[in-house]
Amino acid sequence: EAEVAQSPRYKITEKSQAVAFWCDPISGHATLYWYRQILGQGPELLVQFQDESVVDDSQLPKDRFSAERLKGVDSTLKIQPAELGDSAMYLCASSPAPRGNTEAFFGQGTRLTVV
Amino acid sequence: EDQVTQSPEALRLQEGESSSLNCSYTVSGLRGLFWYRQDPGKGPEFLFTLYSAGEEKEKERLKATLTKKESFLHITAPKPEDSATYLCAVRGGREETSGSRLTFGEGTQLTVNP
């Protein structure tokens, strides 16, 4: 069964350091999302890609967060510098349709702890 | 702005005791309501998509229904393995302005005791 792959599963970093997360969506999925989930809350969208283009990054803290999907396949989310409030689960998801209302399939996430 | 409210926050059931979870939503132009299951430390697992009022979907012991203002996830004769957090999400607005973002509620944490 096809899955969204994320790495690493867990990351501990010190405040002010840089950290990066990687995501490989389900093969053939044109739409890729990064969500952030704080413990006890629902996921919140950070950025959406359609192929290699950013469709929605209105909730991305652009002063410290960046995301890219250079070849329209896998994606990297970076935080520099990390702050204590960035501790959360970072979830990647993908959808098969370039437009429309299909469901998103999530990976297992990266649990980030900033100390 | 799309809004999703789930209730109750937590629900404890005995095995076999049926119940329902509620998801109330406010959205401009619903383009889908989604139910996910999330186990601790893992990503959400897709369960159902509903698109229009009156629609129903079923999977094993779970049944999702949709009205114009809310959705219910009915759990019939639950088992301990149904214990998880159940998340509701909506997609609304126009594709050109809202993209395909999902707006999630905070979830209902379900515990089923043997």
Side-chain angles (χ1 to χ4, degrees):
Chain A
E1 184 176 322
E3 294 183 344
V4 176
Q6 290 189 246
S7 66
R9 286 295 312 278
Y10 306 94
K11 180 70 177 179
I12 299 175
T13 192
E14 294 184 346
K15 188 175 65 171
S16 80
Q17 295 298 303
V19 64
F21 315 126
W22 177 80
C23 171
D24 191 10
I26 295 172
S27 178
H29 281 198
T31 305
L32 184 147
Y33 312 84
W34 284 100
Y35 282 82
R36 177 171 60 184
Q37 185 176 26
I38 295 169
L39 194 62
Q41 298 183 17
E44 292 184 324
L45 180 70
L46 292 173
V47 61
Q48 176 190 340
F49 288 92
Q50 186 61 45
D51 298 311
E52 65 276 7
S53 300
V54 173
V55 172
D56 183 356
D57 63 356
S58 58
Q59 303 299 313
L60 187 71
K62 298 181 186 65
D63 57 334
R64 298 186 300 108
F65 287 64
S66 64
E68 62 182 15
R69 192 184 184 198
L70 293 176
K71 296 183 179 180
V73 181
D74 59 338
S75 176
T76 302
L77 178 69
K78 297 179 181 177
I79 307 175
Q80 182 173 18
E83 297 180 352
L84 295 177
D86 296 331
S87 294
M89 174 80 88
Y90 289 82
L91 294 162
C92 179
S94 68
S95 291
R99 290 283 186 267
N101 308 323
T102 57
E103 55 272 11
F105 297 93
F106 284 81
Q108 293 303 297
T110 296
R111 169 68 67 186
L112 173 66
T113 302
V114 182
V115 298
Chain B
E1 182 179 330
D2 300 342
Q3 291 188 327
V4 177
T5 303
Q6 293 189 244
S7 62
E9 291 184 10
L11 180 63
R12 190 176 294 271
L13 300 173
Q14 288 298 122
E15 184 172 2
E17 179 186 3
S18 301
S19 188
S20 297
L21 312 182
N22 178 262
C23 170
S24 297
Y25 64 91
T26 303
V27 66
S28 175
L30 182 69
R31 292 189 285 132
L33 184 140
F34 304 83
W35 282 98
Y36 287 85
R37 168 191 171 129
Q38 187 172 29
D39 292 306
K42 296 189 176 182
E45 174 189 349
F46 171 73
L47 293 174
F48 303 110
T49 308
L50 302 168
Y51 291 107
S52 57
E55 189 175 358
E56 300 182 351
K57 294 273 181 76
E58 284 189 68
K59 180 180 179 180
E60 296 180 356
R61 295 177 293 281
L62 300 177
K63 179 180 178 180
T65 62
L66 180 65
T67 73
K68 289 186 177 180
K69 293 184 177 181
E70 57 191 351
S71 177
F72 292 93
L73 185 65
H74 307 278
I75 303 176
T76 303
K79 299 181 178 182
E81 53 261 42
D82 295 322
S83 297
T85 295
Y86 290 85
L87 294 166
C88 173
V90 296
R91 177 178 286 143
R94 296 175 58 193
E95 179 78 29
E96 296 78 11
T97 53
S98 303
S100 302
R101 71 165 61 200
L102 295 175
T103 299
F104 281 85
E106 297 200 337
T108 293
Q109 185 174 358
L110 175 67
T111 303
V112 182
N113 296 316

